[in-house]
Amino acid sequence: MLPSRSDSQQRSLENPDKQTMRVDSTKRNEKLIEVPRKKLNMRLYSESEQKFQDYVNSKIVTISIIALVGAYAILIFVIVALEELLDEAEFNKISSILSWIELGILIIFILEIFVGLYAWGIKKYYKDKWLILDTLIILLSLFFVIFELADQKTSNVIKVIQAVFRFLRIFLLIRKAQTFRRLATISTISTPAEKIVRFLAELKEVLEDENMKLDIDYCIDKIGNNQLYQMGKLDEDNAEAMAWLNQSQQGRTEIKRIVTNEQQQQQLQQKKVMANFQKLNIPKRLLDILFKQHDDLYIDPFECDKLSGGEGLVNLMLFFFENYNLFDVFLIKPKVVRGYFEEVMKGYHDNPYHNKVHAQDVAQTCNFLISKCKFIEIGQLDEQDIACVLIAGAIHDYGHPGLTNAFLINSRNELALTYNDQSVLEMFHPSQCFKIAWGNQKVNIFENLQFQKYRRIRESIILMVLSTDMAHHASELAITNSRIAAPDFEPNGKDKQRLMDLIVHSSDVSNPTKSFEIYKQWTEKVLTEFWLQGDKERELGLPISYLCNRYTTNTAEAQVGFIDYVVKPTFACILGFLPAYEPFFQNLDKNKAKWQELIEYYKQQLASIQPK
Ligand SMILES: [Zn+2]
């Protein structure tokens, strides 16, 4: 169904007035549904016909025919060359031998045609119109060879025709070689994908409906180009990509239907009662900013941290707890929440990048996605879900040593040993944060939760933090894309957790989606951290990790790649189920263009520094 749906949308994009086109495509869908009943109008082959097909496609026959084609080519060149080199009398002496050989080869070609006709039937065999020409040339060549053998005295006219046919025979050889190269490719099929492509190609051959053939072409193209889970670029000219994105639109209309549950929205109505917030002791200037910008993509995280005396993370989480009524959900007093996040904040090391401000920034970006981009409505998040997303954002890099998993594994670090090299840091962060709570009753935000509720919250938070491991980025994104495109996609049901995971993971890589000024600061910080790791790796004689070599990493080039290969596909996926994200998506291209302008500058910078 996928290709026809996207195809029809592609057409309606090209010309929205063409209602008839859409009607056609609906008909096509009906036809597709009817297919099994009609058995695709396929001709069913008898056992002996199938045996012949297998025989013709067998390696031995394929190789023999190719060898024969080669021999025939040599023969024709020999005939043409001898005719030129020898005088007529000498040539006539040997020409009959050559003609007999030619006759033999042509008879084999004729036999091959007969076998093909028997195995596939005239209709399918001559589906390739070139084969009709091939047959004609072979038959006429045969006629001329017999004519030559019967009567040596040929007229000038016949000689000219013969010359033309020699030329055509060479053409025929090239055609034959191509046919057999194709056959040879088919006979070496090894992967399931190739077998599917072959099956689809054969199916296409026997179908009569032109639209269905187009659908099959689409399938072959996507399978053959390994694009089954690829999100297209947001390029107006790229109709296919638009069609794919509109595929998600299909889900979106359904989402809108599910969403407008007024009652629930009212329940989640943000309690913006200033007095309640003031009790939380959030510094006044920060509170003013959070009131206006708590769900804003362009909030300045560095400013927020500064305005709260370096306690931005704690104050932001207190604001969220009040805003979403989470004190009541956790049956907990604000001072316990403050105490808990103070402990979490203390656990963040003073790394250039993976520090408490990054945690605060990720939690706030999560809030932007669930609130401004309306995942609360689309996923029908309850207070518990909201709490999980925001807490996961806040704790997701707790205790980060400023070194990557690869470094920890390569240097046989204790953490790698503890977590068996599997998502080492992503296992470590939540593990420590649950220990903080259960190790100190005064800060245990989970203490009053009913056990089942606690289990659900714990599981959800752990899953979200695990999703920030870049090692699983590509495969998880592919699965999420396919879920969004699936007819049974349920953003508020069975797919909710997966989407919550993506919310946290995408917030973690969201710097390129922000204003360039903020983004550039984060870039400098992350590379400073990576380069410190690179220096360590150099010292220890370990392989220097990707982006970690300060002497070779071009900051601007690295960011262009990061946007193209990681961030853009991630947020294209977000766009697939959060249409409200659309106005922000273009930031990526704008920021990429800015980095592209800076590539040369960073090249010069690199040239000016040398390793010690
Ligand atoms: Zn992070």
Side-chain angles (χ1 to χ4, degrees):
M1 297 292 150
L2 187 147
S4 30
R5 195 187 297 154
S6 57
D7 198 36
S8 69
Q9 276 170 349
Q10 179 184 326
R11 283 179 201 163
S12 55
L13 269 172
E14 284 162 2
N15 188 349
D17 301 329
K18 278 191 182 170
Q19 291 297 331
T20 45
M21 282 291 196
R22 263 180 240 161
V23 173
D24 281 346
S25 114
T26 324
K27 275 186 191 159
R28 276 165 58 200
N29 283 342
E30 282 162 13
K31 271 185 194 163
L32 272 170
I33 296 159
E34 281 171 20
V35 164
R37 268 179 281 147
K38 285 189 180 171
K39 287 196 175 170
L40 296 163
N41 291 327
M42 274 174 92
R43 182 175 166 236
L44 296 174
Y45 296 107
S46 71
E47 219 171 287
S48 66
E49 284 169 332
Q50 281 176 10
K51 264 186 193 162
F52 263 90
Q53 289 176 6
D54 291 344
Y55 178 69
V56 173
N57 282 338
S58 72
K59 247 185 188 164
I60 290 183
V61 173
T62 307
I63 292 167
S64 313
I65 296 286
I66 290 172
L68 200 63
V69 166
Y72 190 58
I74 294 168
L75 182 72
I76 286 188
F77 282 115
V78 169
I79 293 174
V80 173
L82 289 181
E83 211 170 9
E84 285 298 312
L85 294 171
L86 303 176
D87 57 47
E88 208 178 326
E90 277 176 318
F91 179 74
N92 283 342
K93 264 187 232 165
I94 53 161
S95 78
S96 67
I97 303 165
L98 294 172
S99 294
W100 278 111
I101 298 172
E102 196 177 355
L103 182 68
I105 294 175
L106 286 169
I107 287 171
I108 296 174
F109 284 154
I110 297 266
L111 282 174
E112 186 219 340
I113 291 171
F114 277 118
V115 171
L117 283 172
Y118 176 73
W120 281 283
I122 292 182
K123 209 173 162 192
K124 191 182 170 187
Y125 188 79
Y126 285 123
K127 198 113 197 172
D128 182 354
K129 301 286 182 283
W130 286 106
L131 279 176
I132 300 176
L133 188 65
D134 286 357
T135 311
L136 267 176
I137 293 171
I138 289 172
L139 286 174
L140 284 169
S141 302
L142 192 73
F143 167 78
F144 281 112
V145 172
I146 293 170
F147 185 81
E148 236 178 87
L149 285 168
D151 179 20
Q152 302 275 336
K153 285 173 255 160
T154 46
S155 72
N156 281 343
V157 180
I158 299 280
K159 269 186 181 167
V160 171
I161 297 173
Q162 265 184 323
V164 170
F165 267 87
R166 290 222 167 93
F167 167 76
L168 284 176
R169 271 178 252 171
I170 291 170
F171 164 78
L172 166 83
L173 284 171
I174 296 164
R175 283 275 315 143
K176 270 204 145 355
Q178 279 173 346
T179 308
F180 283 101
R181 214 179 303 135
R182 204 173 63 218
L183 275 175
T185 325
I186 290 167
S187 64
T188 55
I189 274 169
S190 56
T191 67
E194 285 169 287
K195 281 183 184 159
I196 293 167
V197 168
R198 180 190 176 187
F199 169 74
L200 289 172
E202 283 177 0
L203 187 63
K204 189 185 149 193
E205 291 281 299
V206 296
L207 286 173
E208 303 206 329
D209 185 323
E210 289 302 319
N211 285 327
M212 284 176 76
K213 284 183 185 176
L214 281 176
D215 289 344
I216 289 178
D217 279 341
Y218 178 92
C219 296
I220 292 174
D221 176 51
K222 294 296 141 196
I223 297 168
N225 291 307
N226 200 16
Q227 291 175 337
L228 285 176
Y229 299 106
Q230 190 179 317
M231 192 61 141
K233 285 180 185 170
L234 249 192
D235 181 352
E236 291 285 333
D237 298 334
N238 191 338
E240 215 154 69
M242 287 301 288
W244 171 255
L245 283 169
N246 284 318
Q247 174 78 15
S248 314
Q249 188 84 39
Q250 187 83 10
R252 285 183 211 166
T253 40
E254 281 179 22
I255 290 162
K256 276 173 201 150
R257 239 179 290 133
I258 301 162
V259 167
T260 32
N261 181 342
E262 293 284 328
Q263 230 183 344
Q264 194 178 8
Q265 270 188 318
Q266 270 167 13
Q267 276 172 8
L268 287 167
Q269 202 51 255
Q270 293 160 8
K271 289 170 46 183
K272 287 191 176 177
V273 181
M274 193 57 157
N276 288 339
F277 285 97
Q278 278 163 348
K279 282 183 207 156
L280 301 171
N281 293 325
I282 296 173
K284 169 97 177 60
R285 283 176 66 197
L286 177 64
L287 188 57
D288 289 343
I289 290 180
L290 291 180
F291 253 103
K292 277 185 247 154
Q293 283 192 284
H294 70 94
D295 62 353
D296 191 338
L297 183 68
Y298 305 115
I299 194 171
D300 184 339
F302 307 109
E303 179 75 2
C304 289
D305 189 56
K306 222 187 271 171
L307 287 177
S308 57
E311 294 207 337
L313 178 63
V314 176
N315 288 298
L316 182 76
M317 292 310 287
L318 278 167
F319 181 92
F320 287 151
F321 264 67
E322 177 58 38
N323 196 48
Y324 294 112
N325 198 25
L326 303 180
F327 294 118
D328 290 350
V329 174
F330 283 73
L331 305 165
I332 213 90
K333 289 193 172 126
K335 69 171 183 187
V336 179
V337 176
R338 179 173 278 282
Y340 178 72
F341 285 105
E342 270 172 4
E343 289 303 313
V344 169
M345 193 185 69
K346 278 186 222 157
Y348 275 97
H349 299 306
D350 208 7
N351 298 318
Y353 182 81
H354 289 100
N355 53 40
K356 60 187 180 180
V357 187
H358 168 63
Q360 169 208 309
D361 180 52
V362 171
Q364 192 271 328
T365 308
C366 287
N367 185 52
F368 156 76
L369 289 170
I370 62 169
S371 175
K372 186 159 273 178
C373 298
K374 304 195 184 306
F375 186 55
I376 290 178
E377 286 94 326
I378 286 163
Q380 289 190 311
L381 304 191
D382 58 21
E383 287 98 336
Q384 247 172 264
D385 297 323
I386 295 171
C388 290
V389 171
L390 298 173
I391 294 172
I395 68 160
H396 85 281
D397 273 332
Y398 175 91
H400 199 295
L403 301 161
T404 61
N405 283 338
F407 182 93
L408 299 176
I409 294 166
N410 289 340
S411 62
R412 300 172 186 84
N413 184 284
E414 206 192 315
L415 284 178
L417 294 172
T418 303
Y419 296 107
N420 299 317
D421 300 349
Q422 306 297 310
S423 298
V424 177
L425 287 168
E426 294 73 20
M427 293 272 207
F428 169 69
H429 306 311
S431 160
Q432 295 302 302
C433 289
F434 280 100
K435 278 187 185 170
I436 290 175
W438 293 103
N440 180 359
Q441 206 190 352
K442 284 185 187 164
V443 301
N444 190 354
I445 55 169
F446 306 114
E447 195 179 21
N448 297 330
L449 286 171
Q450 184 207 352
F451 184 67
Q452 285 306 326
K453 229 182 206 182
Y454 167 69
R455 281 283 306 273
R456 207 193 115 193
I457 288 175
R458 175 172 155 79
E459 189 192 2
S460 180
I461 291 175
I462 292 172
L463 283 172
M464 282 185 266
V465 178
L466 285 175
S467 79
T468 62
D469 183 357
M470 281 305 294
H472 309 304
H473 164 80
S475 56
E476 287 302 315
L477 196 62
I479 297 170
T480 307
N481 273 326
S482 67
R483 284 304 307 143
I484 293 170
D488 61 338
F489 175 56
E490 276 179 29
N492 59 342
K494 62 183 171 207
D495 294 303
K496 189 199 274 188
Q497 182 62 49
R498 168 167 289 283
L499 300 180
M500 283 162 63
D501 295 349
L502 181 65
I503 295 276
V504 176
H505 168 53
S506 54
S507 299
D508 197 22
V509 295
S510 67
N511 295 330
T513 69
K514 312 272 170 92
S515 74
F516 191 72
E517 197 198 352
I518 304 277
Y519 172 23
K520 195 160 180 267
Q521 290 184 61
W522 284 125
T523 302
E524 281 156 10
K525 285 170 187 294
V526 80
L527 285 176
T528 303
E529 193 172 304
F530 282 168
W531 291 344
L532 286 171
Q533 173 175 319
D535 294 344
K536 270 201 182 111
E537 286 169 331
R538 202 174 292 110
E539 246 174 67
L540 294 171
L542 293 171
I544 297 182
S545 301
Y546 178 59
L547 299 176
C548 292
N549 193 334
R550 64 173 75 241
Y551 303 112
T552 57
T553 305
N554 182 315
T555 305
E557 235 166 29
Q559 288 308 307
V560 170
F562 183 50
I563 290 175
D564 276 345
Y565 298 110
V566 177
V567 188
K568 212 168 170 185
T570 307
F571 281 87
C573 185
I574 288 280
L575 197 55
F577 66 99
L578 297 183
Y581 181 73
E582 203 139 23
F584 307 97
F585 194 66
Q586 55 189 350
N587 286 357
L588 285 168
D589 281 335
K590 285 185 195 161
N591 285 338
K592 183 181 151 186
K594 284 185 181 145
W595 283 119
Q596 276 167 329
E597 283 168 19
L598 290 169
I599 289 176
E600 206 40 53
Y601 164 79
Y602 282 101
K603 249 184 206 164
Q604 285 164 13
Q605 292 276 100
L606 279 177
S608 68
I609 54 164
Q610 286 297 314
K612 284 167 207 163

